[in-house]
Amino acid sequence: MRALLHAILAAFVLATAAPASAQEDQRPEISERLEIGMSTDEIAIASDFRGADLTIFGAIEGYDPNLLAQGKYDVVVALEGPKDNQTVRRKERVLGIWVNRRSMTFELAPESYSLSSTRDVEDIAPAAVLNSIGVGLQHIRLDPIGFFGDGSNISEFREAFRRLKETGGYYQRDPGGVQFISASLFKATVKLPANVPNGTHVVRAQLFRDGVFISEKAMPLRVVKTGLEQMISNAAFNNPVSYGILSVILAVLTGWIASVVFRKD
Amino acid sequence: MPDPANPDPGESLLRGGDRGAADSGPVAHRGNAVTVYLPIAEISVNIFIILGMGAAVGFLSGMFGVGGGFLITPLLIFYNIPPIVAVATGANQVVASSISGAITHFRRGSLDIKLGTVLLIGGLLGASAGIWLFALLRRVGQLDLVISLLYVILLGVVGVLMLFESVKALRRAANNQPVSLRKPGHHNWVHGLPLKMRFKKSKIYLSVIPVVVLGFSIGILTSIMGVGGGFIMVPAMIYLLRIPTNVVVGTSLFQIIFVTAYTTVMQATTNNSVDIVLAFILMVAGVIGAQYGVRVGQRLRGEQLRALLALLVLAVGMRLAVDLVLTPDEVYSIVSEGVRR
């Protein structure tokens, strides 16, 4: 529905902005499509993982050669991490002590977000377009839920959220990370941060033509952490009772063995 | 719960900054030999720092006969371990540091099982209430603050009391005055309470109310602060309940073992916050350190050392207090709710 709306909008913009170009006017429908491919739909990473690059290949199909030659097509590829409700809290001074006073919870925001594009997304399309499809670090959908007062501080909390995610390395961007390797074939490099969350990520690619959103393609990518540390973490979250009992047994054994080993008699 | 608001300096030193495996070949291998990744705390730490912490606190606990939980937890917090993990893991490590003492007292029979059981009932109730409070505080984002505040109060009070006591003892030793013990069996208001019960081993006829209340309070401390609570329970049993000193330590250890074990399981179940890797490193270093602490403690005079421990306790409390008052670098923080899709 939204794509259709954009298509209509695009046709309208083109019709008004470039009346001289009769060829554009008669275009019956927008036929460009995006295809992307990855060599895998699952990545296993060890606990000493320090970040890596993920390469995604793609092609624009049904493109207009003239527009392609003019560089009117832009591609944005994002790796979105698992989504969760995330609460931002702000400390304030109360009786001399710094206390969490205000908070805002954003509904199902991605835990990580790595963006790669042919050029800076802000130059690819107007902010309104980016907001509507939630593309770009400044345009990811951050909807507060629960009680958040009169909403006057939404932008402040959104800004803090993005800043913390960026400084923590969870959100990153690479304008120039998408490169055309032939006329319509492109290669996108998205960064997997060192602290990439475990779970199902989504690779989402968008095609823009002259600032207009044309089409989108999404593929799931499972990030599976491996190794002893992850096994322990899985046990702690999936079998918490056994894990707790095991922790106690380990402590009892450690203390008991020590008392036997160090016994004086 | 990776918290981007508090990126650990240790982690950023070792793991951050060198993202992109391709361009960081030599850098990626840096420090692998000494770092260990803590799966629940979700940070990389230097194993020797954790071993050193465990050994030092174990040494002190062996020397002074304390559990050491009240030092381990703040030290872990200083080293950027999330307080929620520090507390739950602290309770787990107290199990290991208390077990050998508990076994010894059990063998000798120097404990009152009936009294210990009444204390334990209070302790389990208190720990359950504490875990519930812990989860509630976590949900409203005040957990870290409450843990720090409780530690500032506890370490402040314990440190000041210990300092006064040891200075008094030092003066007494200087004047060659004999140590005056309070007379056991001397009654106070506690002995006027109803619901009395006879504790044969302790040769005492006592209301269960103060015993349960004491156990309950210690249970809350165990679950919210990750301490065994012996350093409060022992004086309270001696001075308030007038329980004979020969069974006090064994009985309190009996309560501590079961309450800390219960708290560990409850923390793991409710908050998924017990880091078994961190706990194990601390335990191993702790039990070894304690053996040497015991030996040194038997040879050295106690008063000066107690004064030093008091100063250490006060310093740790002060540092926590300063962190609460100083303007933080970052006033915002993010937590994921764990409703993942």
Side-chain angles (χ1 to χ4, degrees), chain A residues 27-99:
Chain A
R27 181 181 282 276
E29 63 186 51
I30 281 137
S31 58
E32 292 101 324
R33 278 183 305 115
L34 202 56
E35 290 299 336
I36 54 170
M38 285 184 294
S39 56
T40 176
D41 59 356
E42 187 173 304
I43 294 180
I45 55 175
S47 55
D48 61 349
F49 179 72
R50 278 149 210 279
D53 288 344
L54 177 73
T55 304
I56 296 147
F57 287 96
I60 305 170
E61 290 186 351
Y63 58 89
D64 182 324
N66 288 331
L67 291 175
L68 193 69
Q70 291 166 38
K72 297 284 189 192
Y73 288 110
D74 279 300
V75 175
V76 175
V77 179
L79 178 68
E80 291 179 15
K83 292 182 174 178
D84 197 351
N85 288 356
Q86 299 187 62
T87 303
V88 180
R89 295 204 169 92
R90 189 178 70 200
K91 281 200 171 86
E92 282 169 26
R93 195 168 235 160
V94 179
L95 303 170
I97 293 171
W98 288 88
V99 179

Side-chain angles (χ1 to χ4, degrees), chain B:
Chain B
M1 21 152 209
D3 187 356
N6 303 311
D8 169 52
E11 184 187 43
S12 56
L13 200 72
L14 293 157
R15 309 198 330 145
D18 53 2
R19 297 207 172 81
D23 54 16
S24 63
V27 188
H29 298 290
R30 176 176 56 178
N32 272 352
V34 294
T35 56
V36 55
Y37 182 75
L38 305 177
I40 305 301
E42 293 185 324
I43 64 168
S44 290
V45 292
N46 184 326
I47 191 167
F48 292 117
I49 290 183
I50 302 291
L51 280 172
M53 263 182 208
V57 174
F59 186 84
L60 290 173
S61 66
M63 197 151 72
F64 297 103
V66 292
F70 67 99
L71 285 175
I72 280 278
T73 309
L75 287 180
L76 291 176
I77 293 172
F78 293 155
Y79 194 49
N80 279 310
I81 308 287
I84 179 171
V85 177
V87 166
T89 307
N92 191 14
Q93 103 91 26
V94 172
V95 176
S97 67
S98 307
I99 197 86
S100 74
I103 293 171
T104 310
H105 284 281
F106 202 83
R107 275 214 198 97
R108 286 189 205 146
S110 52
L111 76 167
D112 186 331
I113 294 205
K114 192 174 174 188
L115 179 67
T117 307
V118 178
L119 264 179
L120 180 57
I121 291 167
L124 295 180
L125 290 174
S128 304
I131 293 283
W132 175 81
L133 195 62
F134 193 89
L136 177 77
L137 286 168
R138 185 187 183 189
R139 217 164 34 241
V140 297
Q142 302 298 348
L143 182 64
D144 295 4
L145 174 75
V146 170
I147 291 172
S148 286
L149 274 177
L150 283 176
Y151 264 104
V152 168
I153 295 166
L154 181 86
L155 295 176
V157 169
V158 169
V160 166
L161 286 178
M162 271 176 66
L163 197 62
F164 272 109
E165 191 267 341
S166 54
V167 166
K168 220 161 71 185
L170 282 171
R171 277 217 197 111
R172 216 162 32 217
N175 301 339
N176 278 324
Q177 280 172 0
V179 180
S180 66
L181 283 171
R182 290 188 199 191
K183 285 192 187 95
H186 187 84
H187 284 211
N188 55 16
W189 61 270
V190 166
H191 296 259
L193 292 168
L195 283 172
K196 288 199 168 185
M197 196 183 257
R198 194 168 297 282
F199 299 101
K200 281 206 185 102
K201 182 87 194 180
S202 307
K203 299 188 184 83
I204 197 166
Y205 186 55
L206 182 66
S207 163
V208 296
I209 294 170
V211 182
V212 171
V213 168
L214 177 62
F216 188 86
S217 322
I218 300 297
I220 289 185
L221 290 188
T222 300
S223 52
I224 299 187
M225 303 177 74
V227 298
F231 58 99
I232 293 176
M233 192 155 40
V234 169
M237 285 165 83
I238 294 174
Y239 296 117
L240 212 60
L241 305 182
R242 299 292 152 87
I243 291 158
T245 45
N246 60 327
V247 296
V248 161
V249 175
T251 309
S252 74
L253 280 172
F254 176 83
Q255 195 263 12
I256 288 171
I257 285 290
F258 288 104
V259 173
T260 50
Y262 173 77
T263 301
T264 304
V265 176
M266 288 305 286
Q267 285 283 18
T269 319
T270 317
N271 297 304
N272 309 105
S273 51
V274 177
D275 197 310
I276 200 167
V277 175
L278 177 61
F280 187 64
I281 299 171
L282 288 174
M283 276 172 207
V284 170
V287 292
I288 295 171
Q291 300 299 327
Y292 292 98
V294 168
R295 279 165 213 185
V296 172
Q298 281 163 348
R299 266 183 275 135
L300 290 175
R301 280 170 47 103
E303 289 86 8
Q304 291 97 330
L305 286 172
R306 265 212 300 284
L308 280 177
L309 179 67
L311 290 175
L312 179 70
V313 165
L314 282 176
V316 171
M318 291 282 265
R319 162 78 201 271
L320 277 172
V322 167
D323 285 348
L324 285 175
V325 176
L326 280 186
T327 306
D329 296 334
E330 175 62 69
V331 295
Y332 292 96
S333 59
I334 304 178
V335 275
S336 290
E337 276 186 10
V339 295
R340 269 203 184 182
R341 286 198 200 149

